[in-house]
Amino acid sequence: MRVETIVELLWPNRTVDACRSLLYTLASRLRAALRAAGLPEALERVPGVNAYRLDVEPALVDYHRFRRLTAEAREAAERNQNDRCIALLTTAVQLWRHDPLPELHGARCEHLRRDMQEQLLTAEKLLAASELADGQHDRALIRLEPLIADNQLDETLARLQATALHNVGRTHDARQFIAAFRRRYRRTMRTDPHLDIAELSPPSPISRRNSPTDEGETAAVPRQLPHDVPDFTGHTDLLSELDMLATDNGTPNVIALAGMPGVGKTAFATRWGHHRRDWFPDGQLYLNAEAHSQVSPVRPEDALRRFLVSLGVPADRVPADPMQRGEMYHRLLSERRMLVVLDNILDSDQAQQLIPRSATSLTIVISRNRLSGLSVRHGVRSLTITPLPYDDRQTLLTRIIGSHRARAEPAAMHTLGLLSGGLPIALRIIGEHVAAQPRAALSDLADELGNRLLDIDGDDSDELTLRTVFAWSVNALAPLPARLFWSLGRFPGTTIGAAAASALLEAEPVVTERVLDRLARAHLVNHDAVGRYRMHDLLHRYASDRDRLDGPTDERRAALRRLFDWYLLTAVNAVRWLEPQRPAVPDLPEATAVRPTEFPAEGDALHWCEAERSNLPSVVQAAAREGFPRHAWQIVDTLHEVYDRSGPQHDVRDMLKLALAAATADGHLLGRTGTLANLGAVYYASHDYQHASDLFTQALNLAVECGFAEIELACLHNLASIHLRTGRIATAVDVFNQVLQGCRAAGNSTGEAFTLHHLGEAHRQLARYEEARRFYQQALAVWDQVGSLRGRILNHVRLAELSAQTGHPEAALAQAQVALDLHGRVNDDVIRCDALVVAAEARLRMGQHRNCLAEATLARAVGEELADPVRQARALAVLAEALASAGNHRTAHARCREALDLLEHTGEREHPGVVNRLLAIAADTART
């Protein structure tokens, strides 16, 4: 779930930045609760998309258990297994304690809460109906009483209540109840309910009226729905939602089903129609309008002829005039309770002429396209059928290939489920292919299917392959959307914005955005975040395969060059805002064929970097693979320092490894040397000093050999930083002084500021506090000259740590607060975490225990977001001491053990003071 969505749900009308501290704290508490429940890795931050992922088994979540139990109960009820239905629903209903999601606010939350409450009410109704069917009339009365009180206009509940009263011998009370209900309903709704004294049977969504027989027109009862799919799986929530829409008198009697090709729209509608057959006693009409197939779409006038003949009109009496056909169709369906399914519809105009005007019939319109015209002009409600989630994929596959075989190779089953992308058609093709080879290992078949899935036949016709199914949708597109669809097959990432797509398409962004929206209406791409789009994995593979096999090589290479140029030059524009003191990487391409994005402010640049973070590893890998190694290393070397500021660093490390290989392949010695140094910096930030030292040494040797003086100084500086971290302080000071002279001689102000900063660190560790302060202040002055806000904030934090160490907590707090106040302008969580720790430490010394606990808790949460065990341990040390001072020794001891475990698992040796402090607190709290 995206951070923006979480903030919207928890703190409406507040910005993400204003709530970030609260969010980090809540995430930390949730992680602690999950650890206590044996799920230490369940909550993770998703780098690049500014989101969290909660990875837990659905069976552990009460709401998912409730939905599974109610789905099983519904199937039991349909088989008249009332005792099983009652047992399942009793368990399901008992999972509810209070109103759902009481802490969440806003319109979206209210809608979600109403939906959940409606699901509970539906389950309660089914439970009461099953109890009545099982003869448990008194129990049903007890259950219905509070439900009736809260839902006084619900006809289903009223019918159940009247039935229950009648069945226990209280027929007079049942009559009185119905009379009172009718008066109440008429007074409120200004119409009569369907419930009356003469009829107590279960409700139907359409009112019962007689069918017409005027003008000699017959009243045949067609049953045209395709056969139900016996092993239909999943979508229980959407089936329930369709139930509610069909029975809601306040919505139009037309429902649109949309979704991507192969997602199972027809099977879904067929399953619902067969299970609700008794709601439509006058029959079902079904039309495959052939919008996406090998034949021409069915014309509305031809469809009307088919319908009229199905309704009993002799073929020779069907009017020749399309208008007259339409009028006869509407007249025949007037007052009839029928289900009309219009499948494979091209657009709203094709559907419009076939939708009955009758208020007593229900029409389901199925299309691969989003039929906005029906929604806008007629208020038609739409349901989007989505790919099946993981559990439903496994269930369907198991049903097809057999449980014994599925249980024998769970890893291969997982792979097959992923290959399908959740498309039922893909799952069936996979399942049938596996079932046809009973002796083959699933793992071997998974490897084969990974390469051939698009081309494997799904039936005996040799025509039903995924490639064919997808082609029907793409062939229906106009030329420009079709060209963009194939172009998106070249895109290596997961989500794309209009500007990047414009580089592929070689069009203006405003034009590209309109075309992307057209693809989204056809469900060939999906809307992701605002302004971004996502393509289903199988559709992407289809487009990519077609592009590789059939696309012109020159055109393809030119499109990829434009894409990589756009990424690189847009990254350069972003870094001009975020790291203005940094020079651009060498040998950049000219912006001749693309228009890179310009950013009006620093926040816009940072937002772009975060939005693209999840894409960049794939983009870099594709650039190297497709013969653009220079773009690969240049993109990474441009952006890596931006990503050093926040989030786990494994993705940055992996990208830098790719960049190093690309720079080597490019033969660019300066690029290779710089990338070696940058990769070493990531290992250094992760406290892996051995790997960092090896990489810095390689970079240093190459820089000396090639005469790259600036990189030589940077590598010496970085090696000195490792000496400092590993206790070789005198060596570090000597090297830092050498680097300082070199930076001043070369006019390298940024290098000078960093070196002064680290000299301050070295002298602080040597307890030469005045010298340390002088170096920090000199560094601060240089950062002011350079104009680096991030550098200034970093030095304020170190000055705060020095003040705290020398017994001046008030000064430490003031300096830390300066850093925290400025943090929002640079969004560097590493610096923020350090500032929070020293602020908490200062408040602890000042006796402000409540504020200390709050800031230490937040610092620990930020450290978790960074996946930095050392910073977490520092925060936990302050937190433990504050808890102990407040008398909470048990929790303090637990926090100490947690911090010591973190340091032990990382092999961290650089902070003996932190370890000794933790051991002392742990010993004191253990005694008490």
Side-chain angles (χ1 to χ4, degrees), residues 316-330:
D316 59 356
R317 291 192 56 194
V318 174
D321 180 63
M323 294 289 292
Q324 293 179 4
R325 286 185 191 180
E327 288 303 317
M328 179 180 284
Y329 171 67
H330 293 304

Side-chain angles (χ1 to χ4, degrees), residues 625-924:
R625 182 181 64 246
E626 298 288 348
F628 297 92
R630 184 161 299 177
H631 287 81
W633 68 260
Q634 286 179 325
I635 290 170
V636 179
D637 281 11
T638 298
L639 286 170
H640 81 94
E641 283 193 20
V642 176
Y643 296 134
D644 290 346
R645 301 180 180 189
S646 62
Q649 294 299 295
H650 59 83
D651 60 330
V652 181
R653 182 184 64 238
D654 293 343
M655 279 194 291
L656 280 163
K657 288 179 179 178
L658 289 171
L660 180 59
T664 303
D666 187 28
H668 200 291
L669 291 175
L670 182 57
R672 183 167 187 268
T673 308
T675 305
L676 279 167
N678 293 336
L679 183 56
V682 172
Y683 278 106
Y684 174 85
S686 302
H687 313 285
D688 186 344
Y689 302 124
Q690 185 59 56
H691 276 101
S693 178
D694 292 345
L695 289 161
F696 290 148
T697 302
Q698 291 180 53
L700 175 62
N701 293 336
L702 196 55
V704 171
E705 179 183 337
C706 299
F708 302 143
E710 186 174 345
I711 298 181
E712 178 184 349
L713 287 174
C715 291
L716 286 170
H717 174 278
N718 293 341
L719 287 167
S721 299
I722 292 178
H723 294 322
L724 182 60
R725 286 280 183 93
T726 53
R728 292 171 286 178
I729 303 177
T731 303
V733 170
D734 290 342
V735 179
F736 278 136
N737 282 324
Q738 176 188 344
V739 173
L740 182 62
Q741 291 177 8
C743 288
R744 285 173 170 167
N748 182 352
S749 298
T750 299
E752 179 186 0
F754 272 122
T755 307
L756 288 166
H757 168 87
H758 280 100
L759 280 167
E761 290 284 276
H763 286 82
R764 181 155 69 93
Q765 289 190 34
L766 293 169
R768 299 172 182 169
Y769 298 127
E770 287 308 313
E771 291 177 78
R773 189 181 306 279
R774 187 175 71 252
F775 279 119
Y776 283 145
Q777 289 173 340
Q778 289 177 29
L780 188 59
V782 177
W783 285 127
D784 280 336
Q785 293 173 8
V786 171
S788 172
L789 181 60
R790 183 168 178 254
R792 287 169 51 201
I793 296 172
L794 179 63
N795 268 84
H796 278 298
V797 173
R798 299 299 173 251
L799 284 167
E801 291 172 345
L802 178 61
S803 295
Q805 194 170 349
T806 55
H808 299 91
E810 292 85 357
L813 181 60
Q815 287 156 336
Q817 195 59 54
V818 170
L820 291 170
D821 290 344
L822 293 172
H823 165 265
R825 295 173 57 186
V826 298
N827 288 294
D828 190 317
D829 282 344
V830 173
I831 297 175
R832 183 187 187 200
C833 187
D834 292 346
L836 286 165
V837 170
V838 71
E841 186 81 57
R843 293 190 188 279
L844 177 63
R845 305 303 163 213
M846 295 165 64
Q848 300 177 7
H849 290 90
R850 178 176 296 179
N851 290 333
C852 168
L853 287 171
E855 289 185 323
T857 300
L858 179 55
R860 180 256 189 104
V862 176
E864 284 185 333
E865 296 294 317
L866 292 166
D868 189 322
V870 175
R871 286 184 164 83
Q872 290 181 63
R874 290 175 184 163
L876 286 165
V878 181
L879 185 59
E881 186 170 341
L883 289 165
S885 299
N888 194 344
H889 297 106
R890 184 174 181 179
T891 306
H893 186 79
R895 296 293 83 79
C896 285
R897 298 312 315 171
E898 183 182 345
L900 289 167
D901 287 345
L902 284 167
L903 294 177
E904 180 181 356
H905 292 158
T906 59
E908 181 61 50
R909 298 189 184 90
E910 65 167 291
H911 293 293
V914 176
V915 174
N916 293 335
R917 178 183 185 182
L918 287 165
L919 289 172
I921 300 170
D924 290 342

Side-chain angles (χ1 to χ4, degrees), residues 50-64:
N50 201 25
Y52 288 89
R53 178 187 292 115
L54 182 62
D55 187 9
V56 297
E57 289 294 329
L60 297 176
V61 180
D62 284 351
Y63 179 55
H64 292 304

Side-chain angles (χ1 to χ4, degrees), residues 269-318:
T270 301
R271 163 53 57 106
W272 185 85
H274 281 292
H275 280 228
R276 296 292 174 257
R277 178 173 175 172
D278 60 322
W279 288 7
F280 306 99
D282 296 321
Q284 311 139 353
L285 293 175
Y286 174 84
L287 171 73
N288 180 356
E290 304 287 3
H292 302 96
S293 69
Q294 294 178 321
V295 300
S296 300
V298 177
R299 297 182 305 169
E301 55 267 33
D302 294 335
L304 287 170
R305 179 182 181 84
R306 296 183 193 178
F307 281 166
L308 290 174
V309 171
S310 299
L311 290 167
V313 178
D316 59 356
R317 291 192 56 194
V318 174

Side-chain angles (χ1 to χ4, degrees), residues 407-686:
R407 285 196 301 267
E409 295 189 64
M413 284 289 291
H414 175 75
T415 301
L416 292 172
L418 293 179
L419 282 175
S420 73
L423 298 186
I425 187 174
L427 287 162
R428 294 189 182 283
I429 289 173
I430 291 170
E432 294 300 329
H433 188 71
V434 170
Q437 303 181 64
R439 296 180 180 273
L442 291 188
S443 55
D444 293 339
L445 293 172
D447 293 338
E448 177 197 358
L449 286 162
N451 298 320
R452 297 186 49 230
L453 179 57
L454 290 175
D455 296 306
I456 292 177
D457 296 329
D459 62 11
D460 297 333
S461 67
D462 296 330
E463 296 178 354
L464 184 59
T465 66
L466 284 171
R467 198 179 299 278
T468 303
V469 170
F470 294 161
W472 290 338
S473 286
V474 180
N475 292 342
L477 295 172
L480 191 58
R483 187 158 69 88
L484 179 57
F485 176 82
W486 301 124
S487 297
L488 291 177
R490 301 164 181 160
F491 183 69
T494 54
T495 69
I496 191 169
S502 295
L504 282 170
L505 190 62
E506 201 172 12
E508 291 295 321
V510 64
V511 174
T512 306
E513 190 158 15
R514 286 200 299 267
V515 179
L516 281 165
D517 285 337
R518 175 66 188 88
L519 292 179
R521 289 197 300 274
H523 290 277
L524 293 170
V525 300
N526 298 316
H527 288 282
D528 195 67
V530 176
R532 300 191 71 82
Y533 301 82
R534 180 185 298 268
M535 181 180 274
H536 188 277
D537 289 346
L538 286 176
L539 280 170
H540 185 269
R541 185 190 300 184
Y542 168 61
S544 179
D545 286 355
R546 161 70 149 62
D547 179 61
R548 286 182 178 280
L549 293 173
D550 301 335
T553 302
D554 292 342
E555 178 187 327
R556 183 172 183 278
R557 184 167 180 81
L560 288 173
R561 180 180 292 280
R562 291 194 301 272
L563 177 69
F564 299 140
D565 279 354
W566 179 85
Y567 262 105
L568 175 57
L569 297 175
T570 299
V572 169
N573 289 343
V575 170
R576 286 198 185 105
W577 277 103
L578 302 172
E579 299 282 349
Q581 74 279 0
R582 278 189 59 205
V585 295
D587 300 325
L588 288 171
E590 295 291 331
T592 55
V594 295
R595 182 185 300 174
T597 299
E598 300 280 349
F599 301 101
E602 184 177 359
D604 300 288
L606 186 62
H607 178 76
W608 180 84
C609 291
E610 284 301 314
E612 294 292 348
R613 184 167 182 167
S614 62
N615 279 334
L616 283 176
S618 298
V619 169
V620 172
Q621 194 171 36
R625 182 181 64 246
E626 298 288 348
F628 297 92
R630 184 161 299 177
H631 287 81
W633 68 260
Q634 286 179 325
I635 290 170
V636 179
D637 281 11
T638 298
L639 286 170
H640 81 94
E641 283 193 20
V642 176
Y643 296 134
D644 290 346
R645 301 180 180 189
S646 62
Q649 294 299 295
H650 59 83
D651 60 330
V652 181
R653 182 184 64 238
D654 293 343
M655 279 194 291
L656 280 163
K657 288 179 179 178
L658 289 171
L660 180 59
T664 303
D666 187 28
H668 200 291
L669 291 175
L670 182 57
R672 183 167 187 268
T673 308
T675 305
L676 279 167
N678 293 336
L679 183 56
V682 172
Y683 278 106
Y684 174 85
S686 302

